[in-house]
């Protein structure tokens, strides 16, 4: 048996070497025929266009492609349009080099999955991989072969709207998710991508999520030590999973633009992590370097290329200036050759030289896109991402009887269900919550609906909401009265409130994270009616729910759950599914606490986690305690779980050994349900400061009511290592605390010593 494996492995390695040799020979031959201008052309990425329209901007793109001045295009939808442009590349450009065709397929194509932050709250790595696989299948059926995903920026500050696009605040979970996306998108063999898979692009490298004060595109500054321990792991995990491309970020790293940072793009990415794909800039980054004070387009382009950037997205800095820089000796032919080779390699891996029309098969659309299997998967995953924050007196699940008032500006909108970044979405086909609820209860209950309010009183934001996502404008006073009337008639009040989809995502930073004024006022009045009130809370980020926690009976955080969100919400609301999502970001009590994260370092003057008042000369605030409103890892279920104390297989471990930690988890409630069991570790004494706890394992388990199960984690040396200030990956002997529990706060503890 062993021998067979060995033979197989040797054969596979031989095949890979052979394939790489083939690729090298092919590209050597091709490059030998390319002019320097054609090589530079490959480094240019443009937004695509519908060249059949004859509009001047589209004609311009067609001409550039025909002249061999474009390596790739992105964010265009439809096989016909893409084919028209690919035709120009293949038939009209001198060497017929096909285009790589990208898109922001961030959480699905037409079947939209929940926003990535929500998906991470499922802690269901396999389901996230499946979602990426489905997204790849749909996108490739429509002509796309490269996605600008996964976004894996660690984000600790809820003011930053792009927190919606990542996996939250934890490097361990973030790394698992990063690898899952890459596997799902690219399939098993990143060196030879199958036609139902596409090339992934991990972004935004690096540290984009640490933008100061949560303001988008803002400065980032941190120690290397922190980068390596807290911010780099998910990017590195994507590289280890074989990601084909990396997008650099908009921000400064060590005083240099990430796009032109040689340490980041070459020393770390290529020399240390052995990345062998290509690096693309973010949109217009090279052009933006001038605003950062690095000089004009020509200088910035030369700097970026030299640092390790291969492809320029939308600045046309490479296209317009590299030849002159080459003539002046500011860049070398080798620099250009290297970047060009990497892009051609990507096209080779995608099979585009073999068949430039490989991804342009119109017969796939009806079969592969937005089909029932994909939609069902999206619905199931969406239900796993909702986080039950409150459920006083077991108000949830609701019965499908009586009169249900459904109120709020998000109750009857189609466009908002999908959330941020859905370039290819088709909202006309998605259900509103009102429609799904009527379907779910049928004739058994009556749904009484009222919009109740606008999204906000802020005129500019309200206009954006109406424009971007078709939120109907109402007269707030009248709508409020109507909602109160409807609510008075009902047995239970379900509110669909919170942020609209455009309140998170790119360029959506906020400083007030409470429920928008006009919605909160309505909610407060509804609560005074004394009927059970359930808040279905929509958001693309952690928000501040202090008032809601106190006054509302049940809060289900539903994020933006994708194309099937409305049905998924009803599945959970009425108990056909039991909620199991757990937060992957801490929910603050107040904006002043931000950045807020569970895996922080200790101070010399810590306060107890459960302190109930301000303590002078300790590290805390006057107004609120340090703990979050809802901690990382938190989420309720309709059932209850009990955790036994932790038992360890040994209380000592050799530096090259391992031990196991076990708890028994019992389902003590009335529903069969899933639980996410979490393992945290704290290094008590080390050469460098260590976080108070760090997630090091999790398991999603299913327990029938009354069932109990032992859950065992293996603690290996790698889980205990960290980067010291010399950036060595070390395991230091000494005492460790180990915690297991349902979230980062309610934990059973044990200790062990590494010798
Ligand atoms: C965003 C990227 C995105 C790119 C292309 C940029 O503005 O930062 O995340 O992939 O645009 O659409």
């Amino acid at each position: 048996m062993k021998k067979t494996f060995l033979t197989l492995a040797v054969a596979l390695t031989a095949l890979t070497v052979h394939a790489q040799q083939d690729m090298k020979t092919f590209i050597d031959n091709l490059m030998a025929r390319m002019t320097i201008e054609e090589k530079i052309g490959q480094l240019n990425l443009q937004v695509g266009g519908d060249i059949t329209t004859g509009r001047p901007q589209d004609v311009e793109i067609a001409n550039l492609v025909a002249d061999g001045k474009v390596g790739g295009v992105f964010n265009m939808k439809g096989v016909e349009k893409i084919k028209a442009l690919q035709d120009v590349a293949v038939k009209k450009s001198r060497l017929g080099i096909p285009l790589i065709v990208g898109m922001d397929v961030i959480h699905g194509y037409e079947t939209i999955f929940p926003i990535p932050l929500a998906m991470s709250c499922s802690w269901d790595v396999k389901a996230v991989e499946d979602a990426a696989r489905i997204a790849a299948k749909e996108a490739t059926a429509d002509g796309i072969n490269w996605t600008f995903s996964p976004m894996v920026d660690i984000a600790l500050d809820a003011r930053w709207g792009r927190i919606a696009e990542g996996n939250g605040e934890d490097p361990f979970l973030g790394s698992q998710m990063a690898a899952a996306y890459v596997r799902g998108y690219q399939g098993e063999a990143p060196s030879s991508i199958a036609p139902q898979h596409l090339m992934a692009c991990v972004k935004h490298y690096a540290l984009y999520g640490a933008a100061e004060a949560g303001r988008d595109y803002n400065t980032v500054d941190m120690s290397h030590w922190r980068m390596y321990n807290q911010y780099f792991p998910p990017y590195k995990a994507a590289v280890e999973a074989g990601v084909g491309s990396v997008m650099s970020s908009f921000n400064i790293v060590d005083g240099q633009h990430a796009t032109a940072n040689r340490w980041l793009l070459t020393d770390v990415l290529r020399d240390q992590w052995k990345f062998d794909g290509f690096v693309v800039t973010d949109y217009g980054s090279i052009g933006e370097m001038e605003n950062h004070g690095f000089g004009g387009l020509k200088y910035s382009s030369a700097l970026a290329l030299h640092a390790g950037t291969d492809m320029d997205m939308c600045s046309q800095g490479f296209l317009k200036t590299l030849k002159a820089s080459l003539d002046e000796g500011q860049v070398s032919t080798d620099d250009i050759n290297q970047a060009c080779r990497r892009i051609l390699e990507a096209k080779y891996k995608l099979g585009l030289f073999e068949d430039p029309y490989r991804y342009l098969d119109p017969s796939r659309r009806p079969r592969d896109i937005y089909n029932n299997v994909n939609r069902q998967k999206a619905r199931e995953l969406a239900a796993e991402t909702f986080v039950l924050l409150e459920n006083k007196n077991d108000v949830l699940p609701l019965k499908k009887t009586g009169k249900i008032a459904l109120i709020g500006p998000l109750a009857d909108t189609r466009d908002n269900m999908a959330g941020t970044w859905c370039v290819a979405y088709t909202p006309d086909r998605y259900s509103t919550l009102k429609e799904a609820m009527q379907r779910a209860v049928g004739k058994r209950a009556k749904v009484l609906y009222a919009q109740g309010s606008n999204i906000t009183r802020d005129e500019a934001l309200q206009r954006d909401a109406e424009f971007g996502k078709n939120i109907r404008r109402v007269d707030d006073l009248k709508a409020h009265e109507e909602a109160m009337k409807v609510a008075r008639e009902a047995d239970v009040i379900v509110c669909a409130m919170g942020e609209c989809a455009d309140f998170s995502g790119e360029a959506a930073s906020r400083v007030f994270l409470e429920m928008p004024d006009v919605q909160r006022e309505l909610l407060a009045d509804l609560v005074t009616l004394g009927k059970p009130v359930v808040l279905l809370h929509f958001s693309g980020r952690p928000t501040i729910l202090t008032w809601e926690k106190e006054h509302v009976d049940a809060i289900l955080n539903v994020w933006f759950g994708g194309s099937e969100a409305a049905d998924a919400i009803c599945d959970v609301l009425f108990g056909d599914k039991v909620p199991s999502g757990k937060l992957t970001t801490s929910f603050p009590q107040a904006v002043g606490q931000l950045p807020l994260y569970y895996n922080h370092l200790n101070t010399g003057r810590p306060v107890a986690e459960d302190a109930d008042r301000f303590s002078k000369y300790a590290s805390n605030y006057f107004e609120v305690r340090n703990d979050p409103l809802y901690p990382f890892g938190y989420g309720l279920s309709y059932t209850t779980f009990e955790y036994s104390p932790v038992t360890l297989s040994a209380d000592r471990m050799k530096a090259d050994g391992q031990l196991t930690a076990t708890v028994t988890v019992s389902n003590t409630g009335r529903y069969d349900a899933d639980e996410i069991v979490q393992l945290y570790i704290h290094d008590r004494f080390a050469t460098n400061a260590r976080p108070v706890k760090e997630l090091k394992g999790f398991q999603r388990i299913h327990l029938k009511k009354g069932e109990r199960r032992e859950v065992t984690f293996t603690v290996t040396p790698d889980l205990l290592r960290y980067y010291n200030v010399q950036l060595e990956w070390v395991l230091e002997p000494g005492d460790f605390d180990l915690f297991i529990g349902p979230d980062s706060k309610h934990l059973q503890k044990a200790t062990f010593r590494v010798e």
Side-chain angles (χ1 to χ4, degrees):
M1 183 75 166
K2 245 188 185 159
K3 209 172 154 199
T4 327
F5 271 136
L6 207 65
T7 326
L8 207 69
V10 172
L12 275 177
T13 318
L15 257 176
T16 315
V17 171
H18 191 64
Q20 275 171 356
Q21 197 51 46
D22 285 351
M23 177 167 82
K24 187 175 176 312
T25 312
F26 178 87
I27 292 173
D28 283 347
N29 289 339
L30 178 58
M31 285 181 65
R33 291 156 56 216
M34 291 171 82
T35 63
I36 195 74
E37 286 81 4
E38 283 165 335
K39 289 176 182 169
I40 291 172
Q42 286 301 307
L43 320 187
N44 182 38
L45 176 66
Q46 305 250 148
V47 176
D50 183 357
I51 62 168
T52 57
T53 63
R55 288 178 311 191
Q57 68 268 35
D58 297 324
V59 172
E60 191 190 322
I61 290 182
N63 289 342
L64 283 174
V65 173
D67 290 347
K69 290 183 172 163
V70 182
V73 290
F74 70 102
N75 283 2
M76 54 192 302
K77 190 180 175 192
V79 165
E80 289 312 315
K81 284 183 220 165
I82 298 172
K83 184 167 176 300
L85 211 50
Q86 192 69 297
D87 266 342
V88 178
V90 173
K91 296 179 184 153
K92 297 207 177 138
S93 75
R94 193 179 72 91
L95 293 170
I97 299 175
L99 297 162
I100 187 168
V101 182
M103 185 186 270
D104 288 282
V105 182
I106 307 295
H107 50 114
Y109 188 73
E110 286 188 16
T111 304
I112 304 285
F113 290 87
I115 54 169
L117 177 61
M119 280 204 267
S120 71
C121 293
S122 72
W123 302 56
D124 192 338
V125 179
K126 169 77 174 56
V128 169
E129 182 177 332
D130 289 346
R133 184 169 297 113
I134 288 170
K137 195 165 177 187
E138 291 200 2
T140 53
D142 221 15
I144 306 299
N145 49 48
W146 181 31
T147 175
F148 304 139
S149 172
M151 188 284 212
V152 303
D153 304 326
I154 294 288
L156 315 180
D157 194 324
R159 289 172 292 185
W160 193 53
R162 302 199 78 170
I163 200 169
E165 296 175 53
N167 300 301
E169 70 194 33
D170 186 70
F172 182 87
L173 180 70
S175 299
Q176 305 236 351
M177 290 296 177
Y181 278 102
V182 173
R183 285 193 303 267
Y185 288 137
Q186 297 193 159
E188 297 310 319
S191 57
S192 163
I193 293 175
Q196 297 192 334
H197 287 279
L198 38 59
M199 187 161 282
C201 181
V202 67
K203 69 187 189 185
H204 306 83
Y205 182 68
L207 323 175
Y208 184 29
E212 277 179 9
R215 177 153 58 79
D216 210 0
Y217 317 118
N218 204 6
T219 301
V220 173
D221 193 15
M222 71 171 71
S223 67
H224 285 195
W225 174 67
R226 189 172 194 190
M227 292 179 199
Y228 273 76
N229 283 300
Q230 197 176 3
Y231 281 81
F232 278 175
Y235 308 114
K236 183 165 182 265
V239 169
E240 282 166 1
V243 74
S245 63
V246 170
M247 186 186 293
S248 55
S249 53
F250 284 129
N251 52 278
I252 300 298
V253 175
D254 286 339
Q256 181 54 276
H257 199 291
T259 299
N261 189 315
R262 193 171 163 88
W263 174 76
L264 202 62
L265 299 183
T266 298
D267 298 2
V268 177
L269 186 62
R270 296 201 182 268
D271 298 347
Q272 292 174 22
W273 298 352
K274 311 291 174 220
F275 173 63
D276 66 356
F278 72 100
V279 173
V280 61
T281 72
D282 203 343
Y283 197 113
S285 274
I286 295 180
E288 288 181 11
M289 284 177 62
E290 185 160 9
N291 285 343
H292 286 278
F294 296 118
L297 193 62
K298 188 165 156 204
Y299 181 71
S300 300
S301 301
L303 218 55
L305 181 75
H306 181 69
T309 296
D310 303 306
M311 197 175 223
D312 166 7
M313 187 198 289
C314 295
S315 295
Q316 290 202 349
F318 283 2
L319 187 69
K320 291 184 173 154
T321 70
L322 281 190
K323 177 69 174 50
S325 294
L326 179 68
D327 295 341
E328 290 161 19
Q330 301 301 321
V331 298
S332 68
T333 316
D334 283 354
D335 286 338
I336 295 170
N337 279 344
Q338 177 177 269
C340 176
R341 175 177 294 277
R342 288 174 184 153
I343 289 156
L344 296 176
E345 281 176 356
K347 294 182 179 183
Y348 188 96
K349 290 175 194 165
L350 285 164
L352 291 172
F353 289 114
E354 224 170 280
D355 177 8
Y357 301 100
R358 194 179 191 219
Y359 291 92
L360 293 167
D361 170 2
S363 73
R364 278 186 59 191
R365 168 167 261 284
R367 271 197 320 271
D368 289 346
I369 300 183
Y370 199 61
N371 61 31
N372 287 340
V373 176
N374 297 357
R375 292 181 60 195
Q376 184 57 27
K377 279 272 183 196
R379 179 168 171 172
E380 280 164 17
L381 178 50
E384 284 188 6
T385 68
F386 305 150
V387 183
L388 184 63
L389 296 173
E390 293 296 326
N391 195 16
K392 295 170 199 153
N393 308 315
D394 291 339
V395 167
L396 290 180
L398 296 183
K399 294 200 179 60
K400 292 177 181 169
T401 54
K403 289 182 186 164
I404 304 168
L406 175 64
I407 292 171
L410 294 155
D412 194 25
T413 130
R414 238 170 272 292
D415 302 48
N416 271 275
M417 304 313 274
T420 184
W421 268 132
C422 313
V423 177
Y425 84 145
T426 52
D428 289 353
R429 296 189 291 182
Y430 309 155
S431 294
T432 75
L433 189 52
K434 182 176 144 209
E435 290 163 352
M437 192 178 279
Q438 275 158 347
R439 224 170 15 237
V441 300
K443 293 209 163 66
R444 283 174 285 173
K446 193 155 186 214
V447 178
L448 311 170
Y449 163 78
Q451 179 169 332
S453 78
N454 287 313
I455 289 284
T456 166
R457 279 207 188 90
D458 182 309
E459 258 305 310
L461 285 179
Q462 174 64 26
R463 259 201 314 278
D464 280 354
E466 286 163 28
F467 174 73
K469 292 285 185 286
N470 284 321
I471 300 253
R472 267 187 306 275
R473 177 178 288 247
V474 288
D475 176 310
D476 272 327
L477 273 180
K478 272 203 206 135
H480 189 107
E481 269 170 34
E482 190 197 330
M484 294 304 289
K485 187 162 161 274
V486 160
R488 278 190 205 98
E489 286 173 37
D491 305 310
V492 55
I493 303 167
V494 177
C495 296
M497 294 182 173
E499 296 190 316
C500 68
D502 289 346
F503 276 25
S504 58
E506 185 170 352
S509 298
R510 301 183 62 199
V511 287
F512 301 121
L513 297 181
E514 284 84 9
M515 170 99 68
D517 46 14
V518 65
Q519 296 187 61
R520 164 73 71 69
E521 286 161 25
L522 175 59
L523 184 60
D525 280 356
L526 291 169
V527 165
T528 61
L529 297 178
K531 305 188 181 196
V533 175
V534 177
L535 173 60
L536 298 173
H537 186 248
F538 288 74
S539 76
R541 52 156 60 80
T543 59
I544 290 167
L545 294 166
T546 315
W547 184 92
E548 288 76 7
K549 177 181 162 83
E550 197 182 329
H551 294 95
V552 175
D553 299 294
I555 308 176
L556 185 67
N557 216 75
V558 296
W559 313 106
F560 292 99
S563 53
E564 314 311 309
D567 288 311
I569 290 172
C570 293
D571 291 341
V572 174
L573 195 62
F574 296 109
D576 298 321
K577 289 261 163 64
V578 176
S580 57
K582 305 247 190 180
L583 299 177
T584 57
T585 50
S586 307
F587 269 45
Q589 303 182 58
V591 170
Q593 290 180 300
L594 297 174
L596 184 69
Y597 49 103
Y598 84 96
N599 47 353
H600 58 84
L601 302 177
N602 218 342
T603 67
R605 298 182 179 202
V607 287
E609 261 192 18
D610 51 359
D612 60 0
R613 47 194 288 271
F614 169 73
S615 138
K616 193 74 180 165
Y617 302 116
S619 179
N620 57 175
Y621 302 98
F622 279 149
E623 299 88 349
V624 298
R625 302 293 68 81
N626 291 345
D627 36 327
L629 190 68
Y630 297 111
F632 176 86
Y634 172 85
L636 300 172
S637 169
Y638 293 157
T639 197
T640 44
F641 295 103
E642 265 171 30
Y643 282 67
S644 73
V646 180
T647 53
L648 298 180
S649 58
D651 59 5
R652 276 159 200 266
M653 171 177 152
K654 294 220 173 351
D656 58 355
Q658 59 181 42
L659 56 79
T660 60
T662 303
V663 287
T664 302
V665 184
S666 314
N667 182 343
T668 50
R670 292 185 293 124
Y671 294 84
D672 301 348
D674 286 3
E675 167 70 330
I676 299 158
V677 185
Q678 302 162 36
L679 167 79
Y680 296 85
I681 283 178
H682 170 222
D683 187 348
R684 281 217 211 152
F685 310 101
T687 312
N688 302 120
R690 307 295 302 121
V692 293
K693 59 186 88 128
E694 294 175 280
L695 183 75
K696 291 293 176 183
F698 57 89
Q699 291 179 36
R700 202 186 158 91
I701 57 166
H702 182 78
L703 288 182
K704 294 206 170 357
K705 57 186 169 198
E707 192 184 343
R708 57 168 53 199
R709 180 159 339 141
E710 279 194 350
V711 177
T712 298
F713 292 94
T714 303
V715 178
T716 60
D718 267 357
L719 292 184
L720 309 177
R721 282 184 215 281
Y722 75 102
Y723 288 97
N724 64 16
V725 280
Q726 285 77 38
L727 304 181
E728 297 152 340
W729 177 234
V730 294
L731 169 59
E732 296 183 332
D735 291 345
F736 288 80
D737 297 325
L738 178 150
F739 311 90
I740 301 180
D743 61 57
S744 64
K745 195 165 175 186
H746 304 96
L747 295 164
Q748 306 285 338
K749 178 172 156 182
T751 56
F752 64 94
R753 172 164 294 180
V754 172
E755 297 177 324

